[in-house]
Amino acid sequence: MGIIIKPIISEKMTATTEKFPERYGFRVSPKANKIEIKNAVESMYNVKVVSVNTSNVTPKLKVRYTKKGILRGRASAYKKAIVTLEKGQTINFFANI
């Protein structure tokens, strides 16, 4: 599916999932809306989605100091979605490994 790019597995998202066991983060297509994200998660993981919160992540500025001078650039911008499931439902990202 072109809507969900990949799940977000970072220290901050893992801490959020431990605090709120029904919340999961996904990197999604910038053109996707909340209804499309909800339908994609429900069909992909066979769970019931209660709510979807989205945010556009702004790119970070990157600076490297090299022998040839200062190289400036920026990381890519992306859209992320925090999906809340019904009570008692979970998603296991590591089941297929």
Side-chain angles (χ1 to χ4, degrees), residues 5 12 18 31 48 86:
I5 297 171
K12 188 173 183 179
E18 288 175 359
K31 295 181 181 180
K48 178 72 174 139
E86 277 189 349

Side-chain angles (χ1 to χ4, degrees), residues 11 13 21 23-24 42 62 67 79 83-84 86 97:
E11 289 184 28
M13 197 64 227
R23 291 189 187 171
Y24 296 93
E42 286 179 347
K62 303 286 185 175
K67 291 180 181 179
K79 186 174 188 174
V83 177
T84 305
E86 277 189 349
I97 296 177

Side-chain angles (χ1 to χ4, degrees), residues 66-84:
T66 64
K67 291 180 181 179
K68 294 184 178 182
I70 299 172
L71 298 177
R72 296 172 193 260
R74 60 179 57 214
S76 299
Y78 62 94
K79 186 174 188 174
K80 75 176 177 182
I82 307 299
V83 177
T84 305

Side-chain angles (χ1 to χ4, degrees), residues 8-25 82:
I8 298 173
I9 302 171
S10 63
E11 289 184 28
K12 188 173 183 179
M13 197 64 227
T14 304
T16 302
T17 304
E18 288 175 359
K19 190 172 181 181
F20 303 104
E22 296 86 23
R23 291 189 187 171
Y24 296 93
I82 307 299

Side-chain angles (χ1 to χ4, degrees), residues 13-91:
M13 197 64 227
T14 304
T16 302
T17 304
E18 288 175 359
K19 190 172 181 181
F20 303 104
E22 296 86 23
R23 291 189 187 171
Y24 296 93
F26 295 95
R27 189 170 176 169
V28 296
S29 170
K31 295 181 181 180
N33 60 27
K34 292 182 180 185
I35 297 169
E36 293 172 343
I37 295 167
K38 177 182 175 182
N39 293 336
V41 171
E42 286 179 347
S43 65
M44 202 175 225
Y45 295 104
N46 296 323
V47 293
K48 178 72 174 139
V49 175
V50 175
S51 68
V52 177
N53 297 353
T54 60
S55 66
N56 290 315
V57 178
T58 57
K60 290 184 180 179
L61 295 176
K62 303 286 185 175
V63 178
R64 283 190 299 178
Y65 299 97
T66 64
K67 291 180 181 179
K68 294 184 178 182
I70 299 172
L71 298 177
R72 296 172 193 260
R74 60 179 57 214
S76 299
Y78 62 94
K79 186 174 188 174
K80 75 176 177 182
I82 307 299
V83 177
T84 305
L85 306 179
E86 277 189 349
K87 286 272 188 197
Q89 292 190 342
T90 59
I91 296 174

